[in-house]
């Protein structure tokens, strides 16, 4: 159980950091598939936050796009956090499309992308 507690703690901390950046440095915190994919395409993702529910989507193309995103982020050395949709932090992330990223460097032009 202690391992699960540590994992949950890391997830909660990553989500807190994301929300703090969203309020203080928006060009380093993005959510939504298109924004996060664009950031990942630049090698900008430091922390990828994604809910497990996205991997259970009934649409195979949707599932594949999230699996690809996770693989690309990992290949770039990003820390990937998969949140349980049953946990409070997972519910909070799900309300924000279920996918978010904390960036290594600011990408203010990503804000122009339409979700």
């Amino acid at each position: 159980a202690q391992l699960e507690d540590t994992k949950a703690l890391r997830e909660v901390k990553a989500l807190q950091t994301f929300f703090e950046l969203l309020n203080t440095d928006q060009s380093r915190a993005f959510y939504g598939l298109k924004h996060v994919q664009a950031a990942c395409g630049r090698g900008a993702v430091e922390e990828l936050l994604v809910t497990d529910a996205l991997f259970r989507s009934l649409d195979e193309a949707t599932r594949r796009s999230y699996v690809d995103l996770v693989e690309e982020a990992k290949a770039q050395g990003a820390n990937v956090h998969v949140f349980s949709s049953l946990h409070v932090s997972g519910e909070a992330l799900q309300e924000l499309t279920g996918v978010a990223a904390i960036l290594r460097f600011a990408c203010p032009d990503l804000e122009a992308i339409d979700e």
Side-chain angles (χ1 to χ4, degrees):
Q2 196 170 6
L3 188 65
E4 278 300 309
D5 293 345
T6 308
K7 181 181 179 290
L9 195 63
R10 277 197 308 267
E11 290 171 0
V12 168
K13 196 170 160 89
L15 194 62
Q16 283 175 336
T17 302
F18 172 79
F19 281 120
E20 285 167 18
L21 282 172
L22 204 54
N23 289 320
T24 60
D25 189 2
Q26 286 186 342
S27 60
R28 285 192 55 225
F30 286 92
Y31 61 92
L33 185 60
K34 284 184 183 175
H35 286 112
V36 175
Q37 283 175 325
C40 203
R42 296 178 184 190
V45 176
E46 185 175 336
E47 307 272 341
L48 178 65
L49 292 64
V50 62
T51 61
D52 60 0
L54 297 173
F55 300 106
R56 292 195 301 266
S57 170
L58 296 177
D59 179 52
E60 187 179 340
T62 301
R63 282 196 313 268
R64 184 82 240 154
S65 60
Y66 287 104
V67 168
D68 291 346
L69 179 64
V70 166
E71 288 173 356
E72 185 181 354
K74 281 182 177 176
Q76 295 173 2
N79 294 318
V80 176
H81 305 278
V82 179
F83 289 71
S84 166
S85 49
L86 303 175
H87 192 272
V88 208
S89 58
E91 288 173 7
L93 182 57
Q94 193 60 45
E95 287 176 18
L96 278 180
T97 72
V99 64
I102 297 169
L103 307 189
R104 291 188 172 99
F105 48 86
C107 293
D109 58 307
L110 289 182
E111 294 172 30
I113 296 173
D114 288 330
E115 198 53 52

